Amino acid sequence: MPPGASPSAASLSAASVSGASHASRDVPYPFADTDADFERIEFFSVVTSQILGGRFLPSVDHLENRKVEILDCCCGSGAWTTDIACVMPLAHVVGFDIRATRVEHHVPNAEFLVADVNEPLPFDDDTFDIVHSRTVCLAVTNWDDYLRELKRVLKPTGYIHLIEPVIQPISQQDLPLMYDLLIASRFGGTGLNIYAGTGVVDAARVAGLHVCQAQSFPFQLGTLGADSDADRIGSMMLSCMQDSMRALVDELGERAAISPEARRPYYEEVDRYLSEPNREWGIVEYVVACKDSSLQADPSVAVARNGA
Ligand SMILES: C[S@@+](CC[C@H](N)C(=O)[O-])C[C@H]1O[C@@H](n2cnc3c(N)ncnc32)[C@H](O)[C@@H]1O
């Protein structure tokens, strides 16, 4: 355990558990702690699950009747944490996030902590059988440090699941105002990498992990006029992106001192770009990694495609 890391989750006092404390210092995450952001996270989580074929976590089947320890990093609303705790009642599931979760229905085997992902994680070495990390690209400032921490807290026989969306870059050509806004708000200086999903396999290897599975799940933005799952997902993704990009304009606009009245052209640019007839637009990268190179991905790890 590195210096400064605190004891394992199991030994944490009630004062550290859900909602009882809150990290006080500023974090680079570009969205305010509002109901709207939690709703966006919940919706995006549903859409991501759809893109992955509606599965929770493909490799848990063989673990269902075992007392496993599961970690959910940057757990957001806590929906996945509680869902997996319900599916695996013998497991002990810990979700942490910089903000207190807003879980309405508490499940006895799910626990929530407030912790900063960019600090040493508050868990002992070799604690977890499964570490789940989904859509943390707007939370993690140093992927090398982050993945080394995940590796540290993972049991020698455990698996890390990294799930990151990769969207089209905000290019100067397509989105000139947004491009300038990223610069004016000093977003680059935060260390966050919106496109971290692109390099997640390499980052895992650099951190000394063995990558036993990597799959890309394409998704479209908007509909192509077909009565298909892809169109339904595309339609949900469009709604997610419209909402998120507008929220990003507001947050970065605040940082760049652009008044609410002056933001209209930015909204219009984003809306125009997103409403262009669309196509395969992004992917979700799904990577399973472990410490031990002799561990193979179980065949059950194969992620079901939509409708499969
Ligand atoms: C896009 S959400 C993903 C939530 C969840 N993993 C999911 O897939 O539904 C990113 C989450 O990271 C959290 N976050 C941002 N900065 C963080 C930090 N420094 N430490 C821990 N969590 C952080 C946010 O509060 C938010 O809940």
Side-chain angles (χ1 to χ4, degrees):
M1 191 162 78
S6 38
S8 74
S11 65
L12 285 167
S13 70
S16 306
V17 177
S18 179
S21 65
H22 200 296
S24 54
R25 63 185 191 82
D26 282 346
V27 290
Y29 183 62
F31 297 109
D33 189 358
T34 59
D35 289 348
D37 189 43
F38 275 92
E39 278 163 26
R40 261 194 307 275
I41 289 173
E42 290 251 300
F43 189 42
F44 194 76
S45 139
V46 170
V47 180
T48 308
S49 296
Q50 292 286 308
I51 293 169
L52 298 176
R55 301 284 300 272
F56 279 113
L57 183 64
S59 67
V60 297
D61 295 0
H62 62 294
L63 297 174
E64 246 164 68
N65 296 317
R66 284 181 40 208
K67 292 187 176 180
V68 287
E69 293 287 333
I70 300 179
L71 177 65
D72 185 13
C73 302
C74 304
C75 61
S77 65
W80 187 89
T81 326
T82 42
D83 284 349
I84 201 76
C86 288
V87 171
M88 299 179 67
L90 293 182
H92 174 233
V93 190
V94 182
F96 79 85
D97 198 281
I98 197 71
R99 307 181 293 189
T101 56
R102 301 185 177 196
V103 173
E104 283 170 17
H105 304 289
H106 288 275
V107 179
N109 57 328
E111 182 180 9
F112 292 98
L113 311 176
V114 171
D116 188 342
V117 74
N118 297 310
E119 299 285 339
L121 298 180
F123 310 106
D124 288 334
D125 297 357
D126 304 337
T127 299
F128 296 100
D129 297 276
I130 294 174
V131 173
H132 178 255
S133 163
R134 189 174 68 180
T135 323
V136 301
C137 55
L138 291 177
V140 170
T141 53
N142 182 323
W143 275 78
D144 200 22
D145 289 350
Y146 173 56
L147 292 171
R148 284 184 205 284
E149 271 298 276
L150 298 194
K151 184 180 172 201
R152 180 183 68 75
V153 302
L154 185 72
K155 284 183 184 168
T157 52
Y159 289 95
I160 299 174
H161 291 243
L162 305 167
I163 299 140
E164 286 298 321
V166 181
I167 58 169
Q168 294 291 318
I170 295 178
S171 76
Q172 194 166 18
Q173 195 185 350
D174 292 334
L175 291 156
L177 289 175
M178 276 305 284
Y179 186 87
D180 288 347
L181 185 55
L182 285 175
I183 294 167
S185 62
R186 301 179 200 283
F187 185 79
T190 61
L192 297 177
N193 178 6
I194 317 180
Y195 315 116
T198 321
V200 77
V201 172
D202 288 342
R205 292 197 174 117
V206 168
L209 287 161
H210 170 63
V211 173
C212 35
Q213 184 195 355
Q215 263 182 272
S216 302
F217 293 84
F219 61 84
Q220 66 188 48
L221 188 70
T223 60
L224 298 175
D227 181 19
S228 64
D229 283 343
D231 259 17
R232 274 184 283 282
I233 292 169
S235 169
M236 289 193 283
M237 187 52 93
L238 179 59
S239 168
C240 272
M241 286 310 298
Q242 281 166 334
D243 202 25
S244 305
M245 293 285 271
R246 279 175 162 257
L248 200 58
V249 167
D250 286 334
E251 296 289 336
L252 299 185
E254 255 339 281
R255 293 179 195 184
I258 294 171
S259 70
E261 303 75 50
R263 291 175 201 162
R264 179 188 278 271
Y266 294 81
Y267 300 139
E268 287 172 355
E269 179 185 270
V270 162
D271 287 349
R272 209 170 35 246
Y273 170 73
L274 293 175
S275 65
E276 280 167 14
N278 251 305
R279 64 285 175 183
E280 301 263 292
W281 187 73
I283 52 172
V284 173
E285 279 292 0
Y286 196 122
V287 176
V288 184
C290 55
K291 284 185 182 180
D292 179 352
S293 60
S294 68
L295 280 184
Q296 293 299 315
D298 187 307
S300 68
V301 171
V303 184
R305 301 300 300 261
N306 289 326

